[in-house]
Amino acid sequence: MANSKFTGISESYIFDEAGGMRDQLEQTILNELQAKRYPLKATISTIKASGRGILGALGASKEQCVVIQVDDEAQIAISNTTVGTYLYVEVYLMIQEKTGLFAGLSAMMDNAFKQQKRNAYFVAAKAATESAFGILNLKQSNSGYKSTSRTVTNDN
């Protein structure tokens, strides 16, 4: 597999006494996306991440998420994990970066317009997610964390 580099942004939330709310939250997020009539196609899907494990053996982790496909190079994943009595939620916008051959001015302008669309989808997904928090009366334990940029490289 060729090397791939992904860049994105994310926002994280932690809720106290909500450890058993995973499935309810996912369904409520889907309902909110539909109720707000956002033109987003969201599904509950299992995302598989694979890579090299110990001693070079192939390993894979799977995570059930609300997934919104933005375009051929970008998707939004809303994941949630139970940690004891806490529910940890993260909204990700992940974008596969173009390299070398695609680095021309035309491609950069195309990416600027795509980024505007991607940001709009991210804000809509975040708004629906935060609305779902309110519907489920989740008690936030932190003030939220927002990453400005996160890069992941696949060096297979």
Side-chain angles (χ1 to χ4, degrees):
M1 173 182 270
N3 293 344
S4 297
K5 185 174 183 183
F6 292 86
T7 300
I9 56 174
S10 66
E11 297 217 14
S12 303
Y13 309 87
I14 298 174
F15 300 96
D16 193 11
E17 302 299 325
M21 303 283 290
R22 280 195 83 204
D23 293 338
Q24 282 180 284
L25 178 60
E26 289 173 345
Q27 191 58 56
T28 305
I29 291 169
L30 289 178
N31 292 345
E32 281 301 285
L33 287 167
Q34 186 175 19
K36 293 181 182 302
R37 298 180 357 157
Y38 293 137
L40 310 177
K41 290 185 170 63
T43 60
I44 296 175
S45 302
T46 300
I47 295 178
K48 181 179 177 184
S50 63
R52 297 206 173 271
I54 298 173
L55 302 175
L58 288 178
S61 61
K62 296 179 183 178
E63 186 69 33
Q64 181 175 304
C65 304
V66 173
V67 177
I68 301 167
Q69 195 64 40
V70 179
D71 55 45
D72 290 343
E73 300 157 353
Q75 73 178 7
I76 296 168
I78 305 167
S79 70
N80 62 82
T81 302
T82 298
V83 180
T85 62
Y86 291 89
L87 180 66
Y88 173 79
V89 180
E90 188 140 6
V91 182
Y92 300 94
L93 169 61
M94 297 301 293
I95 303 160
Q96 185 174 8
E97 291 186 0
K98 293 181 179 180
T99 58
L101 189 59
F102 299 106
L105 181 59
S106 176
M108 288 191 304
M109 286 308 295
D110 182 49
N111 282 341
F113 296 129
K114 283 182 180 178
Q115 189 60 40
Q116 180 181 16
K117 175 184 175 184
R118 293 166 179 165
N119 287 340
Y121 275 51
F122 180 73
V123 170
K126 183 179 162 237
T129 301
E130 291 177 348
S131 181
F133 298 158
I135 290 169
L136 295 173
N137 295 316
L138 296 176
K139 178 182 158 193
Q140 194 167 338
S141 301
N142 67 341
S143 59
Y145 168 77
K146 179 180 180 179
S147 75
T148 54
S149 181
R150 182 176 293 171
T151 302
V152 178
T153 303
N154 173 4
D155 292 325
N156 288 340

